[in-house]
Amino acid sequence: MTHRMIPVLALFSLAACGGDEQAPPPDAADTAIDYPETETVDHTDSYHGVEVADPYRWLEEDVRESQPVERWVDAQNAVTFAYLEDIPERDAIAGRMRELWDYERYGQPGKEGGRYYYSYNDGLQNQDVIYVLDELDGEPTLLIDPNAWSEDGTVALASFFPSPDGRHVAYLVQDGGSDWRIARVIAVDSGEVLGDELEWLKFTGLSWAADGSGFYYSRYPETGEEEKFQALNLNQAVYFHRLGTDQSADELVYARPDHPEWGYSAAVTDDGRHLVITVWKGTDDRYQVVHRDLTDPDAEPVMLIEGFDHDYTLIGSIGDELYFRSNDGAPRNRLIAIDVNDPDPDAWREVIPEARDVLSDASLVGGKIIAEYMQDAQSVVKIFDLDGEQSGTVDLPGIGTATGFDGKIDDTETFFVYTSFDTPTTVNRLDVSTGAVSVFRQPEVAFDPDDYVVEQVFYTSKDGTRVPMFISHRKDLEIDGALPTLLYGYGGFNISQTPAFSVTRLAWMDLGGVYAVANIRGGGEYGKAWHQAGTRLNKQNVFDDFIAAAEFLVEEGYTNPSRLAIFGGSNGGLLVGAVTNQRPDLFGAAIPAVGVMDMLRFQNFTAGRFWVDDYGSSDNPEEFEALYAYSPYHNIREGAEYPAVLVTTADTDDRVVPGHSFKYAARLQEAQGGTAPILIRIETRAGHGAGTPTEMIIDDYADRWAFLVKNLGMRLPEGYGD
């Protein structure tokens, strides 16, 4: 959970994808597993007079520091990998996925100092590299190659930030999937990595001063190694680093030790006149805003907007006016301008009013405002004059997602990416003055999107709410009520699930599977109200929406419960764990990934305290009751017949600490009253997901899809892997 921060597919027969020709689900003889013994402890916590047992509390200990936990991890992995390696189809799936993955991929260019910077992957590189172009049609030069940083590919480039003069690029390094970052700087002309190195960075970007002399960033205090991956993150502060100096000499720009729970995101506007510090204290888009006048060397930071009441996301500036996307008085967002010399709310200027669709982002480019909207979770892009009058739209090819449109007020061009479930990410250039769109970089892939169908349907949830869902699959599948189907969901933190291409999704559809994404409440698809309807005391709405999506897929003849699998990660892992407990009869398999499984203790670790915005807290009696009612770890029923479950996590996840998954898996193994397998796959040298090397992702998803092939009774398509 983050703070806001393909070669030809094998032909196969329809009979191999569904109907009576499918293999039956495995029986007990196929799935009998000798699980490792997991010690239990006599531990009980009292919450508002309710005694709650926690027999696997010891599994919360950091695997790096606890030999008993390390032995448990090794024993569980031995069982899990033996099971997965014994699936005959597993190697073919891995080989096919590797083949599908081997195509060129490009990132959206950014332009600074007359140069263009973009990410690139030649296909199977573990990490994307960074190229620089002096001219748009020139030859690119390799600038940063993270693949040389570690033998196993687990040291990654998290993000990069070119200086306004184009002379330097500051970048963040991520090691082993951890949220912690190290900042370094490279000189563009020489390729020399400078001696600047900044540590203890987390949940921050880097924002350059206009003259390129240094950059602003946020950091936490140094902690001991034994606390680094589990302790709460408190007392973040904003600093300025001047190139060529040691981090110890960095200027403290803004800190509030009286509010240790506050976090900060510092940004310099394109004209270099304003430093805007967005103050946050959780995952909700509710911010305070601090402003510092960079034209006055003696100016101090001052509070511009006080009170964590609404979203104020900085879009840019023109003169003394700062432009913000805001939901203040507009649940689906509007664009406002605030004069820093007269910040009283009565003086705020509404530039673009709230519309029927959700304003998801905006940018000031080429004397225009480019506004990105979500219309039923699909992208619509409109162009406005600076006075807020619409002057055009950006043509998009279909059901998909368009993002980007970065640039400066005097740029004549901007770039954006377009993607969908059947369309690999394409980088486009927009001529702002004419509205003309041209392709900048397009993947050369040998699969035909016309072989697939992407549709949007709407279904009714338990309380009558209308919920959208995307369904994608090969066009030549016969909808016969027995198709292997994978339903994905998230449902939280105002994060919208819009159409996007993924090799792993394509690989699932290549196997003859249906892929569905439910746009359940808790996300941001319809604005503030849609988000809040899936939070705190309303969280059960999220699970009801997801269960209704599964029932729709069965009722409409796509699949049946024995062929229906569910999948989600992080908050989506919580989702999968909760609905598996509530409706084990509805699913043939479940894959909860890096999930939040103990809803009574999540706030005690690393970034968990931020999530109280969405979940509430067990410290509150009413919220405790709601959390306890659905917490995946606490609602496993002894002797219930659960579907096949593959829990996945990583030993170095310091976002959702792996103890969540460890405790959940141990309890589920002990309680399982049926014959379906309950396994946990624990990756090493990996974190919450970001920075994971390509080869590790391929192995991970080959295991996941092989697990589904076995437990949904699938056969590989005819000629698969030949």
Side-chain angles (χ1 to χ4, degrees), residues 350-353 367-369 382-392:
E350 182 175 78
V351 182
I352 300 177
K368 302 282 187 180
I369 303 169
K382 300 178 181 180
I383 301 175
F384 294 84
D385 295 331
L386 293 179
D387 59 5
E389 292 294 322
Q390 185 177 346
S391 58

Side-chain angles (χ1 to χ4, degrees), residues 274 276 288-292 301-307 312 320-324 326 328 334 336-349:
H274 308 279
V276 179
Q288 298 188 128
V289 178
V290 172
H291 173 258
R292 184 181 189 180
V302 296
M303 188 70 73
L304 191 72
I305 301 173
E306 190 169 9
Y312 301 100
D320 289 331
E321 283 192 321
L322 301 177
Y323 287 69
F324 295 92
S326 180
D328 184 357
R334 59 177 179 153
I336 62 174
I338 300 176
D339 190 322
V340 296
N341 301 307
D342 186 10
D344 187 281
D346 291 338
W348 294 357
R349 183 168 64 89

Side-chain angles (χ1 to χ4, degrees), residues 230-560:
Q230 292 221 336
L232 292 173
N233 302 131
L234 297 168
N235 290 300
Q236 195 181 48
V238 178
Y239 289 83
F240 179 76
H241 174 73
R242 188 169 298 278
L243 289 187
T245 65
D246 188 80
Q247 186 178 13
S248 62
D250 289 354
E251 173 198 353
L252 175 62
V253 175
Y254 192 78
R256 291 293 299 269
D258 54 328
H259 291 287
E261 74 280 12
W262 289 7
Y264 309 99
S265 176
V268 178
T269 56
D270 288 336
D271 59 12
R273 295 178 55 180
H274 308 279
L275 175 67
V276 179
I277 301 173
T278 301
V279 187
W280 51 272
K281 64 175 181 178
T283 54
D284 271 3
D285 295 330
R286 293 184 290 113
Y287 308 130
Q288 298 188 128
V289 178
V290 172
H291 173 258
R292 184 181 189 180
D293 182 358
L294 295 180
T295 66
D296 179 358
D298 298 321
E300 295 292 329
V302 296
M303 188 70 73
L304 191 72
I305 301 173
E306 190 169 9
F308 293 97
D309 299 319
H310 302 287
D311 172 24
Y312 301 100
T313 295
L314 179 67
I315 299 301
S317 70
I318 299 178
D320 289 331
E321 283 192 321
L322 301 177
Y323 287 69
F324 295 92
R325 183 199 69 189
S326 180
N327 59 14
D328 184 357
R332 299 196 183 201
N333 300 331
R334 59 177 179 153
L335 187 68
I336 62 174
I338 300 176
D339 190 322
V340 296
N341 301 307
D342 186 10
D344 187 281
D346 291 338
W348 294 357
R349 183 168 64 89
E350 182 175 78
V351 182
I352 300 177
E354 181 184 29
R356 187 186 73 85
D357 299 327
V358 176
L359 177 63
S360 55
D361 203 357
S363 53
L364 303 175
V365 183
K368 302 282 187 180
I369 303 169
I370 302 176
E372 302 170 37
Y373 288 92
M374 275 187 299
Q375 185 179 94
D376 293 327
Q378 305 175 38
S379 285
V380 173
V381 182
K382 300 178 181 180
I383 301 175
F384 294 84
D385 295 331
L386 293 179
D387 59 5
E389 292 294 322
Q390 185 177 346
S391 58
T393 60
V394 177
D395 292 333
L396 303 176
I399 295 176
T401 303
T403 59
F405 304 100
D406 299 327
K408 297 179 174 56
I409 191 65
D410 57 355
D411 283 344
T412 59
E413 63 183 354
T414 185
F415 297 86
F416 69 96
V417 297
Y418 175 83
T419 182
S420 188
F421 297 111
D422 61 349
T423 306
T425 300
T426 299
V427 183
N428 300 281
R429 177 183 178 272
L430 171 67
D431 185 314
V432 181
S433 60
T434 66
V437 174
S438 57
V439 173
F440 173 68
R441 294 288 187 269
Q442 185 170 25
E444 295 182 5
V445 295
F447 103 99
D448 188 352
D450 289 339
D451 290 340
Y452 290 80
V453 59
V454 177
E455 60 179 337
Q456 186 177 48
V457 299
F458 294 85
Y459 65 91
T460 302
S461 190
K462 181 179 180 179
D463 64 356
T465 299
R466 183 175 182 259
V467 183
M469 177 164 56
F470 295 107
I471 301 176
S472 308
H473 56 81
R474 288 185 63 97
K475 279 184 179 178
D476 54 4
L477 293 188
E478 179 184 351
I479 308 301
D480 62 358
L483 291 172
T485 300
L486 184 59
L487 173 62
Y488 175 86
Y490 188 79
F493 299 96
N494 202 35
I495 296 174
S496 303
Q497 301 303 307
T498 59
F501 183 78
S502 162
V503 175
T504 58
R505 294 166 179 166
L506 177 66
W508 170 253
M509 293 187 285
D510 185 41
L511 284 164
V514 175
Y515 185 76
V517 177
N519 297 107
I520 55 184
R521 281 173 283 185
E525 287 86 347
Y526 293 107
K528 184 177 181 179
W530 192 257
H531 171 220
Q532 292 182 338
T535 64
R536 295 185 180 249
L537 302 182
N538 298 318
K539 189 67 175 178
Q540 184 59 41
N541 287 335
V542 177
F543 312 135
D544 290 342
D545 289 357
F546 199 62
I547 289 169
E551 292 173 335
F552 176 91
L553 291 167
V554 173
E555 292 165 1
E556 293 298 312
Y558 287 94
T559 191
N560 60 60

Side-chain angles (χ1 to χ4, degrees), residues 12 89 152 178 329 337 354 359 393 487 652 715 717 722:
F12 55 95
E89 299 88 351
D152 61 1
S178 170
E354 181 184 29
L359 177 63
T393 60
L487 173 62
T652 53
R715 289 196 182 108
D722 291 349

Side-chain angles (χ1 to χ4, degrees), residues 3 13 18 23 59 107 146 158 163 171 174 205 212 217 256 268 466 516 522 529 587 626 635 639 693 696 700:
H3 184 87
S13 65
L59 285 172
S163 64
Y171 58 94
Q174 177 183 28
Y217 69 98
R256 291 293 299 269
V268 178
R466 183 175 182 259
F587 314 112
N635 284 276
M696 191 178 286
D700 185 4

Side-chain angles (χ1 to χ4, degrees), residues 613-624:
D613 278 352
D614 247 50
Y615 297 149
S617 169
S618 57
D619 296 334
N620 176 295
E622 190 176 17
E623 292 172 347
F624 159 74

